[in-house]
Amino acid sequence: MHEGPVVVGWLLVALCGSTGLYCLYRAAAGPGRGARRPAGVEGAMGLGMAVMAVPGAGAAAPGQAYVVFFGVLAGCSALLRARPAHRAHHVVEALAMVYMGLAMLGPAGHGAGGVPVLTGVLLAYFALYALRTGALVVPVLPAPVAAGAGPVAGGGAEPAERSPEVAAGCRLALSLGMLVMLVSM
């Protein structure tokens, strides 16, 4: 799918693949079903994006495979028991990948670049989403501890896989990957 420099393609593979694997880890280690399913969808999305971003992937796997995979993922996203905005984002993300898969079906498998207006709308959506989500990644810092006071008893830190900042970081990484893929279409 990626038409830009090869190094950018491999960096995109690394970003999306590592994010996808971490999201799958969060799904396995998450506190309950309500948090596991969205993390699992994010993991599948990240790994699918990584495969699609491999330089030369358009020649190795037909666009139809991506269309089917991300179409199924869009259906699964629509059935998530998550906040409506979160669920809608997953659906938009999966449908954007379907759109890119369809663009790969252009002449000789090199993609026609898609519909410029739709590509622009998706670029604007993911840019705004990345900006909004980026603000969630920065945690609110706790009040400074007095010198020699030490940590508060029983106030242990929350495990990383349950941290809302980590979940927002995963969505931010995938949104940035989506931006790069859309720009390089």
Side-chain angles (χ1 to χ4, degrees):
M1 172 68 214
H2 185 265
E3 300 291 330
V6 173
V7 71
V8 174
W10 285 113
L11 288 171
L12 192 56
V13 169
L15 173 71
C16 295
S18 60
T19 301
L21 288 174
Y22 188 75
C23 288
L24 289 179
Y25 166 74
R26 281 189 321 117
R33 287 180 87 185
R36 287 182 184 172
R37 286 184 179 166
V41 168
E42 289 168 359
M45 177 65 67
L47 293 177
M49 288 172 65
V51 169
M52 192 180 223
V54 170
Q64 294 95 335
Y66 298 121
V67 171
V68 169
F69 175 76
F70 289 110
V72 169
L73 197 56
C76 292
S77 298
L79 299 175
L80 282 177
R81 288 186 204 163
R83 293 184 336 262
H86 192 150
R87 181 177 46 229
H89 170 72
H90 284 301
V91 171
V92 168
E93 194 171 45
L95 290 176
M97 293 303 290
V98 168
Y99 167 67
M100 285 189 263
L102 289 171
M104 290 176 73
L105 298 175
H110 291 289
V115 179
V117 172
L118 183 54
T119 303
V121 168
L122 288 171
L123 281 168
Y125 171 80
F126 286 108
L128 291 172
Y129 189 85
L131 288 172
R132 187 182 75 81
T133 306
L136 300 175
V137 173
V138 181
V140 176
L141 298 176
V145 178
V152 179
E158 185 175 8
E161 62 270 2
R162 294 186 190 160
S163 169
E165 292 86 10
V166 171
C170 288
R171 289 190 299 273
L172 175 62
L174 293 178
S175 293
L176 292 174
M178 190 70 73
L179 277 169
V180 172
M181 291 178 86
L182 285 164
V183 166
S184 64
M185 238 174 65

